[in-house]
Amino acid sequence: MDFLSGLGAHWYWLLLAALLGIFEIVAPGIFLIWLAAAAAITGITVALLPIPLPFQLALFGLLALAAVYRGRRHYERNPVASEDPKLNDRTARLIGETVTVVTAIEHGEGRVKVGDSVWPARGPDTPAGGRVTVTGAQGNCLLVRAAPALPPAGDGGASETA
């Protein structure tokens, strides 16, 4: 550790800034980059002004708070567009899906099968085995309505006329 003992305090801050930047790249979360910016500004300030360690730590703390606050406000005003905005909203992804009732919906409440799981549901009375369409959700309870009837099997709806 002798090679680190000769470095000025500003190099430690700049090294911390670089490490935080690398961690942001490895595990992106748009948080560490703001701490890296605070460490870099602290390092530049310490390089220009002889500041004792307690004041360096206080400066870093204040800059970190300010950077995170500004970063959060920036991303609230300018959200990052997503290719799949419903990625982490499972109930929103289910809207429009037709599902099977597994526990009859009686008095407005029952259970439906979605894929390999069963969800609580609210909607019009429907017997077990009936088909319903998901229209929304309240918490983890799906809101459903009766599914439209399937067309009769056969020739695809074409009628023969002679």
Side-chain angles (χ1 to χ4, degrees):
M1 290 299 238
D2 288 335
F3 69 95
L4 292 176
S5 62
L7 294 178
H10 66 283
W11 287 111
Y12 291 111
W13 288 109
L14 296 174
L15 179 63
L16 177 64
L19 289 174
L20 288 170
I22 291 169
F23 289 151
E24 178 69 37
I25 292 170
V26 172
I30 309 175
F31 177 75
L32 293 177
I33 196 67
W34 306 114
L35 298 180
I41 294 170
T42 302
I44 292 168
T45 304
V46 170
L48 298 174
L49 303 170
I51 302 174
L53 181 61
F55 291 111
Q56 292 176 31
L57 295 173
L59 177 63
F60 172 71
L62 291 173
L63 289 171
L65 287 173
V68 169
Y69 175 75
R70 284 184 53 99
R72 287 183 57 99
R73 286 194 38 144
H74 172 75
Y75 282 108
E76 285 173 1
R77 279 192 242 114
N78 306 304
V80 177
S82 172
E83 291 181 18
D84 190 359
K86 296 179 184 175
L87 178 65
N88 292 320
D89 190 354
R90 177 108 190 256
T91 55
R93 293 178 79 105
L94 295 175
I95 294 174
E97 294 288 324
T98 300
V99 296
T100 304
V101 176
V102 292
T103 302
I105 300 176
E106 296 174 340
H107 309 295
E109 295 187 3
R111 296 182 70 76
V112 296
K113 185 169 183 76
V114 179
D116 62 351
S117 61
V118 177
W119 290 61
R122 290 192 190 118
D125 289 356
T126 307
R131 307 278 291 160
V132 292
T133 302
V134 178
T135 59
Q138 288 179 337
N140 71 337
C141 184
L142 299 178
L143 305 176
V144 297
R145 64 173 163 72
L150 296 174
D155 60 352
S159 61
E160 292 183 31
T161 56

